[in-house]
């Protein structure tokens, strides 16, 4: 099955700096890679995603890059703000896994703290 | 939280009791999922359902049961057989329509504490 590793587990940056979170995946058949932001006591919110047919996607201050050859993808947040402080999860999904399901496999999360 | 509601937000039970967590969605999504989240860890799939009256086990289904009698509802029962039931439980849903991207949208979660 798929295995997703996420680094770092914690990240502290100064307001205005950039933050980068990296994930690697094991299954070369994975073709969809979403990123979720989870605030304390709430459910994860989808913030950006990328499919295997593109290498980069950007949405305002957030961007995601994908390297299919190396099987890793990264989240980039520029001009960080205190409200960006949260736990961020990456995930990967095959079109259909061995059980015939569209299941997401999640990384273990990165706690981002933006210092004002 | 994208039209997905989970109730209650906090739930307390004594060990040995079964407890049912509610999940309702008004997004007209076909697929629904239950995940478990433990402190400092990612989400692990418990059960999922692609259509009404059908559901399949995820990676950690032991000690849990579900039903999918209506498209909008996917309740999860945590049975007394679950060894470590205290956790944050998240419900999600996604569309299965062709041409859509199958993004999963999550509810606000239920924090279950068993003592």
């Amino acid at each position: 099955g798929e295995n997703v590793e996420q680094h770092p587990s914690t990240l502290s940056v100064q307001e205005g700096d950039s933050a980068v979170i990296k994930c690697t995946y094991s299954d070369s058949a994975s073709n969809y890679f979403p990123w979720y932001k989870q605030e304390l006591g709430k459910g994860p919110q989808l913030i950006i995603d990328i499919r295997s047919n593109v290498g980069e996607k950007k949405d305002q201050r957030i961007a995601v890059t994908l390297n299919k050859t190396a099987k890793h993808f990264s989240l980039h947040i520029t001009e960080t703000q205190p409200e960006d402080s949260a736990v961020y999860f990456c995930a990967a999904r095959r079109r259909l896994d061995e059980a015939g399901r569209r299941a997401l496999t999640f990384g273990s999360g990165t706690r981002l703290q933006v210092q004002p | 939280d994208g039209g997905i509601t989970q109730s209650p937000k906090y739930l307390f039970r004594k060990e040995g009791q079964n407890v049912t967590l509610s999940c309702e969605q008004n997004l007209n999504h076909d697929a629904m999922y239950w995940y478990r989240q433990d402190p400092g860890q990612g989400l692990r799939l418990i059960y999922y359902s692609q259509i009404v009256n059908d559901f399949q086990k995820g990676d950690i289904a032991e000690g849990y049961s579900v039903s999918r009698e209506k498209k909008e509802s996917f309740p999860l029962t945590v049975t007394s057989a679950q060894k470590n039931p205290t956790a944050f439980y998240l419900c999600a849903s996604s569309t299965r329509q062709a041409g859509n991207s199958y993004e999963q949208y999550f509810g606000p979660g239920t924090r279950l504490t068993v003592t």
Side-chain angles (χ1 to χ4, degrees):
Chain A
E2 176 68 278
N3 182 50
V4 177
E5 294 191 357
Q6 183 172 347
H7 301 281
S9 57
T10 60
L11 179 60
S12 181
V13 300
Q14 290 295 124
E15 182 177 358
D17 287 350
S18 295
V20 180
I21 302 170
K22 299 181 179 181
C23 289
T24 60
Y25 61 99
S26 61
D27 190 344
S28 57
S30 289
N31 63 353
Y32 174 64
F33 307 92
W35 285 89
Y36 288 85
K37 175 183 180 182
Q38 186 177 28
E39 297 178 343
L40 190 63
K42 297 184 179 180
Q45 299 289 314
L46 179 68
I47 56 172
I48 195 167
D49 57 18
I50 191 168
R51 284 161 181 77
S52 57
N53 59 345
V54 297
E56 183 174 359
K57 184 176 178 180
K58 189 173 182 179
D59 182 4
Q60 298 183 352
R61 297 187 295 108
I62 295 173
V64 58
T65 59
L66 171 66
N67 183 326
K68 288 190 295 182
T69 302
K71 289 189 284 188
H72 68 70
F73 55 113
S74 300
L75 178 71
H76 304 254
I77 305 174
T78 59
E79 301 173 21
T80 54
Q81 302 167 3
E83 50 265 39
D84 294 329
S85 296
V87 179
Y88 291 82
F89 290 96
C90 63
R93 188 192 67 205
R94 297 179 63 173
R95 179 180 298 277
L96 287 173
D97 69 8
E98 294 84 358
R101 62 190 185 189
R102 301 182 187 280
L104 287 172
T105 300
F106 285 83
S108 55
T110 296
R111 182 173 300 280
L112 174 65
Q113 182 68 42
V114 179
Q115 306 289 344
Chain B
D1 294 298
I4 302 175
T5 57
Q6 291 185 242
S7 61
K9 189 172 179 64
Y10 299 96
L11 191 54
F12 299 87
R13 280 294 182 269
K14 293 290 187 183
E15 191 174 329
Q17 294 180 334
N18 291 355
V19 58
T20 297
L21 282 60
S22 168
C23 177
E24 304 279 334
Q25 55 98 0
N26 62 4
L27 301 169
N28 199 34
H29 284 173
D30 293 293
M32 297 186 74
Y33 312 79
W34 274 105
Y35 292 89
R36 170 184 173 135
Q37 185 175 30
D38 293 285
Q41 297 187 31
L43 284 68
R44 294 183 290 168
L45 183 66
I46 304 172
Y47 265 99
Y48 72 104
S49 169
Q50 293 184 324
I51 56 173
V52 175
N53 293 321
D54 178 74
F55 50 84
Q56 297 184 43
K57 293 181 179 180
D59 299 316
I60 54 166
E62 185 175 352
Y64 300 98
S65 66
V66 294
S67 64
R68 187 82 188 280
E69 297 176 0
K70 298 187 301 181
K71 187 175 184 178
E72 303 79 18
S73 179
F74 191 41
L76 172 74
T77 296
V78 184
T79 75
S80 56
Q82 167 51 232
K83 303 296 184 190
N84 297 293
T86 295
F88 190 46
Y89 290 88
L90 288 158
C91 178
S93 69
S94 67
T95 180
R96 292 181 67 235
Q97 295 175 8
N100 287 297
S101 50
Y102 304 95
E103 293 100 340
Q104 287 190 21
Y105 296 93
F106 285 84
T110 292
R111 186 168 299 280
L112 173 64
T113 302
V114 177
T115 58

